[in-house]
Amino acid sequence: MAMDTGAFLSKLEMVTTSDHSSVVSMNLFVALLCACIVIGHLLEENRWMNESITALAIGLGTGIVILLTTGGKSSHLLVFSEDLFFIYLLPPIIFNAGFQVKKKQFFRNFMTIMLFGAVGTLISFAIISLGAIHFFQKMNIGSLKIGDILAIGAIFSATDSVCTLQVLNQDETPLLYSLVFGEGVVNDATSVVLFNAIQSFDLYHIDSVIALQFIGSFLYLFITSTMLGVLAGLLSAFMIKKLYFGRHSTDREVALMILMAYLSYMLAELFYLSAILTVFFCGIVMSHYTWHNVTESSRVTTKHAFATLSFVAEIFIFLYVGMDALDIDKWRFISDSPGKSVGVSSILLGLVLVGRAAFVFPLSFLSNLTKNSPHDRISLKQQVTIWWAGLMRGAVSMALAYNQFTRSGHTQLHLNAIMITSTISVVLFSTVVRNHFISL
Amino acid sequence: MAMDTGAFLSKLEMVTTSDHSSVVSMNLFVALLCACIVIGHLLEENRWMNESITALAIGLGTGIVILLTTGGKSSHLLVFSEDLFFIYLLPPIIFNAGFQVKKKQFFRNFMTIMLFGAVGTLISFAIISLGAIHFFQKMNIGSLKIGDILAIGAIFSATDSVCTLQVLNQDETPLLYSLVFGEGVVNDATSVVLFNAIQSFDLYHIDSVIALQFIGSFLYLFITSTMLGVLAGLLSAFMIKKLYFGRHSTDREVALMILMAYLSYMLAELFYLSAILTVFFCGIVMSHYTWHNVTESSRVTTKHAFATLSFVAEIFIFLYVGMDALDIDKWRFISDSPGKSVGVSSILLGLVLVGRAAFVFPLSFLSNLTKNSPHDRISLKQQVTIWWAGLMRGAVSMALAYNQFTRSGHTQLHLNAIMITSTISVVLFSTVVRNHFISL
């Protein structure tokens, strides 16, 4: 056939090993993904393991093998890019979460989720930023600009919703799942507003006008992002209902749903909105309206195809993170000043714990005041789980922190190394105590 | 949430318009894909239109708009790369063709398909190469090396199986579909062997030893590629049956099937085999064995998810080709010597016609001798259709020729421009007479 002919010609033309070595890594990566699925399934009944930890472990193992065979030069198979992550891996995960979320549970707790996601994140942000300024000056770890400190505050005050999906189970703990995951989605909007504020407002002169501006821009961002997702969902429902009336085509319906959901995500990126919020609400609306207008086979296909996409994307991330954890540069950096690194990561972890405690318990108390039936209230045990589950820093935070902080100067590289060591500890630790959560 | 935070930071950090403009193009491209699906569906009952032509037309329209808005600088939205095509778009199309092919029909005509794909392609290759040498010397279009001429022969002697899928309908003309599409898949292996031969054998001294070597390497390539695909398919069936016995998980099954199929394609690329042949047979085996070992919902999901992937990939190609057709450089080049371009493309088209006629009719006659029932024989009308349908040069050939010939020198650029003008004419023409085929 004409096409492969050309592929072959180009292969002969280049004769570059770089092209062929990228084929080698893709093969290895796909084979490892298969291995993760099979081994993860076999280990499913083991209470200490799940697919993410399997992927993490296999990634670590592969990293070690690659390190040894390349003589310590590299532990990577693929170069991780932010684009790959934010444009291809994250959208299916968040969309599927919206698509499969228990809507009744989610909307019943909507006010509590908003409280946690908006007010709670601000409280946490303030505490972490102030604490970081206080402790880092004492530790003398180099000159950190006020913007850097606030960025740390913003990154650490936000929960990692992909990790939450791994830790909490929707069927076993529906209330906790909707609260913690919902908070993760809503506080994405808060983070975007926070970063806007850090960049554009004069932070040394905070007065009531700026506070109002801040609230205004949060509401604007939250409402526009949500509306965009809802509109995309409704539009897909309308198109499928109106245009395809009388003659359905499963392939076209499924393709339209996927493309419209993806379009909503990319449009939100285009207008600097919170793409996560948009695609999450798009998923909710699609599962509520569009899904009921398609054929039976489209329903089965979308339900499983979206779950599969999200499943593979998650494994992909964990596999990568496992390999990335061995990146030799990071460890070399840490080994220069191990004491300081442990100190900084403990302080950050401590601040995150205090910051979350400072809003989970008071806001849960407030939320409980508005509930009449004791069934709807958040018990103290559940509050502890929310406090703890929101601490999870998983693949996403790690990949992000890595991509975020390596571009700038020396201090950042140090922070990066610290971020990664603390993240790996937290991810491993949180999975070990995972079954404890579920029994709560 | 921590992640979008970072996306936002990075946006602020870069402030580059290039990054944002790529988001703009992705939005536009996804929106255009949606438009193609909706408009293609609306126009479905129009006998002159189908989804590919809609995509081609929308691509052309968008190309014009972009040309006008950028002041004639560019008609592209995305930069087309061979990688994008061979690593992401082609595998789902060929795999789905194998997955949905009518196996009974395919294997009943297996010998005829092999005759067409192997012997036929060689006859066609010889005629086109010899004809090109003869006519191009007379026309004085610049110095073409013997290797270039043979490359042209190899590219033009191979049919474009993606285009065949668009032109022939499996349900309406099962015999023709299996013959023409099967030929397209098998002659991929022939092409790879041909290119190998062009590179490694001394073509001025062809004797019986070289001919035997050639046959040997074709058989080796065909058998190894097929076996790899069959093995990957059987392995997936075995894994799903053995490991998942008693507790099925639809998401895992679907993910494993997709990943294993993709792995077979990439492994074939790795070992310089015919990846198209491999993934095609992997699709056949998966639909025959694996598919019967999975849950009912996995069956529905895979059937439609694979078809959807293939459908979107095809539209993507046609949309791109539509935009690419307006690439200003190509037309500028042609306008320097319009007479010569028309001459070369007519000669090539004529050679392709003669080359196909030289094997379709004799080989069909041979094939008919072996068939007992008149029902299985290839009628003269069907022979004409096979002759004609194999001429189709679609999106794939075009994208390929473009990517292939622009790298090298001046002559190649000229050939490229000619390829594209003739391809567009053939694609449009073949679609207009599409309904005529089906009525045959």
Side-chain angles (χ1 to χ4, degrees), chain B residues 176-413:
Chain B
L176 287 175
Y177 178 92
S178 69
L179 283 177
V180 180
F181 182 75
E183 181 204 332
V185 172
V186 172
N187 77 16
D188 180 57
T190 319
S191 301
V192 175
V193 177
L194 268 176
F195 271 97
N196 258 327
I198 293 169
Q199 300 287 327
S200 53
F201 297 137
D202 181 359
L203 294 157
Y204 296 99
H205 301 93
I206 296 170
D207 56 24
S208 57
V209 177
I210 288 181
L212 277 178
Q213 273 186 330
F214 189 88
I215 293 170
S217 58
F218 170 79
L219 286 176
Y220 166 78
L221 202 76
F222 184 86
I223 290 167
T224 45
S225 302
T226 308
M227 288 313 294
L228 181 61
V230 170
L231 271 179
L234 289 178
L235 186 63
S236 76
F238 176 79
M239 289 203 305
I240 285 170
K241 187 167 189 171
K242 277 286 160 192
L243 296 178
Y244 290 13
F245 189 68
R247 49 187 176 116
H248 284 288
S249 153
T250 297
D251 301 344
R252 288 200 185 92
E253 284 170 356
V254 176
L256 256 188
M257 282 174 81
I258 294 177
L259 289 172
M260 288 294 292
Y262 194 64
L263 188 60
S264 78
Y265 184 89
M266 292 307 289
L267 277 176
E269 283 278 320
L270 184 66
F271 296 121
Y272 298 114
L273 301 177
S274 164
I276 287 174
L277 208 57
T278 303
V279 81
F280 178 76
F281 275 96
C282 183
I284 288 183
V285 173
M286 277 201 182
S287 75
H288 199 72
Y289 294 103
T290 321
W291 200 69
H292 295 284
N293 284 316
V294 297
T295 60
E296 177 57 33
S297 40
S298 293
R299 266 176 237 169
V300 177
T301 305
T302 48
K303 196 177 155 216
H304 292 292
F306 295 157
T308 305
L309 275 176
S310 162
F311 174 67
V312 173
E314 277 175 45
I315 295 182
F316 190 103
I317 295 174
F318 276 90
L319 191 57
Y320 179 81
V321 167
M323 284 182 210
D324 191 65
L326 282 169
D327 187 37
I328 207 78
D329 290 331
K330 289 196 289 272
W331 293 101
R332 203 173 282 148
F333 203 91
I334 282 214
S335 64
D336 292 347
S337 53
K340 204 171 274 181
S341 309
V342 173
V344 171
S345 43
S346 326
I347 286 171
L348 283 176
L349 275 172
L351 286 173
V352 172
L353 279 166
V354 173
R356 272 196 81 76
F359 79 83
V360 168
F361 299 107
L363 294 181
S364 298
F365 177 76
L366 273 180
S367 162
N368 282 346
L369 289 182
T370 65
K371 308 278 179 180
N372 294 321
S373 80
H375 182 74
D376 283 341
R377 288 190 196 139
I378 310 167
S379 72
L380 189 65
K381 256 190 173 178
Q382 287 173 324
Q383 293 178 25
V384 173
T385 309
I386 294 169
W387 171 58
W388 176 245
L391 285 178
M392 299 300 124
R393 291 300 175 279
V396 182
S397 327
M398 183 163 157
L400 216 222
Y402 181 51
N403 282 288
Q404 193 49 47
F405 284 106
T406 40
R407 285 199 206 120
S408 334
H410 187 73
T411 349
Q412 319 303 65
L413 234 180

Side-chain angles (χ1 to χ4, degrees), chain A residues 399-415:
Chain A
L400 216 220
Y402 179 52
N403 281 288
Q404 193 50 45
F405 283 106
T406 39
R407 286 199 206 119
S408 335
H410 187 74
T411 350
Q412 319 303 67
L413 234 181
H414 202 143
L415 267 173

Side-chain angles (χ1 to χ4, degrees), chain A residues 5 16 25 31 96 126 181 216 229 244 250 301 305 314 321 401 408 419 440:
Chain A
T5 288
T16 49
S25 2
N96 183 56
F181 182 75
Y244 289 15
T250 297
T301 306
E314 277 175 44
V321 167
S408 335
M419 278 289 294
L440 276 173

Side-chain angles (χ1 to χ4, degrees), chain A residues 201-217:
Chain A
F201 297 138
D202 181 0
L203 294 159
Y204 295 99
H205 302 94
I206 295 169
D207 56 24
S208 57
V209 178
I210 288 179
L212 277 177
Q213 273 184 329
F214 188 87
I215 294 169
S217 59

Side-chain angles (χ1 to χ4, degrees), chain A residues 1-14 19-20 22-24 26-28 30-31 33-34 37-38 40-42 44-45 51 82-83 85-88 90 94 151 154-155 158-162 184-185 187-189 191-192 195-196 199 239 243-244 247-252 254-256 258-260 262-263 265-267 269-276 296-298 300-301 303-305 307-308 311-312 393 396-397 400 404 407-408, chain B residues 1-14 19-20 22-24 26-28 30-31 33-34 37-38 40-42 44-45 51 82-83 85-88 90 94 151 154-155 158-162 184-189 191-192 195-196 199 239 243-244 247-252 254-256 258-260 262-263 265-267 269-276 296-298 300-301 303-305 307-308 311-312 393 396-397 400 404 407-408:
Chain A
M1 190 161 359
M3 34 215 157
D4 212 42
T5 288
F8 194 80
L9 248 187
S10 75
K11 262 178 222 150
L12 292 173
E13 213 171 77
M14 297 193 213
D19 191 47
H20 199 246
S22 85
V23 173
V24 174
M26 282 195 73
N27 267 300
L28 205 52
V30 176
L33 280 177
C34 291
I37 294 174
V38 173
H41 185 85
L42 290 176
E44 203 182 28
E45 269 153 37
E51 239 113 14
E82 241 178 67
D83 271 7
F85 185 76
F86 286 105
I87 295 187
Y88 302 111
L90 192 58
I94 304 292
I155 286 179
T159 49
D160 180 338
S161 44
V162 175
V185 171
N187 77 17
D188 179 57
S191 301
V192 175
F195 272 97
N196 257 327
Q199 299 287 327
M239 288 201 307
L243 297 178
Y244 289 15
R247 47 185 179 121
H248 285 287
S249 154
T250 297
D251 301 344
R252 288 201 185 91
V254 176
L256 257 187
I258 294 177
L259 289 173
M260 288 294 292
Y262 194 63
L263 188 61
Y265 185 89
M266 292 307 289
L267 277 176
E269 284 278 320
L270 185 67
F271 297 123
Y272 298 116
L273 301 177
S274 163
I276 288 174
E296 178 58 33
S297 40
S298 294
V300 177
T301 306
K303 195 177 157 215
H304 292 292
T308 306
F311 174 67
V312 174
R393 291 298 174 280
V396 182
S397 327
L400 216 220
Q404 193 50 45
R407 286 199 206 119
S408 335
Chain B
M1 196 161 353
M3 34 212 156
D4 211 42
T5 289
F8 194 78
L9 247 188
S10 76
K11 264 179 220 150
L12 290 172
E13 213 172 77
M14 296 192 213
D19 190 48
H20 200 245
S22 85
V23 173
V24 174
M26 283 196 73
N27 267 300
L28 207 52
V30 176
L33 282 176
C34 290
I37 294 174
V38 172
H41 185 85
L42 289 176
E44 203 183 28
E45 271 154 36
E51 240 113 13
E82 242 178 67
D83 271 7
F85 185 75
F86 287 105
I87 295 186
Y88 303 111
L90 193 57
I94 305 294
I155 286 179
T159 49
D160 180 337
S161 46
V162 175
V185 172
V186 172
N187 77 16
D188 180 57
S191 301
V192 175
F195 271 97
N196 258 327
Q199 300 287 327
M239 289 203 305
L243 296 178
Y244 290 13
R247 49 187 176 116
H248 284 288
S249 153
T250 297
D251 301 344
R252 288 200 185 92
V254 176
L256 256 188
I258 294 177
L259 289 172
M260 288 294 292
Y262 194 64
L263 188 60
Y265 184 89
M266 292 307 289
L267 277 176
E269 283 278 320
L270 184 66
F271 296 121
Y272 298 114
L273 301 177
S274 164
I276 287 174
E296 177 57 33
S297 40
S298 293
V300 177
T301 305
K303 196 177 155 216
H304 292 292
T308 305
F311 174 67
V312 173
R393 291 300 175 279
V396 182
S397 327
L400 216 222
Q404 193 49 47
R407 285 199 206 120
S408 334

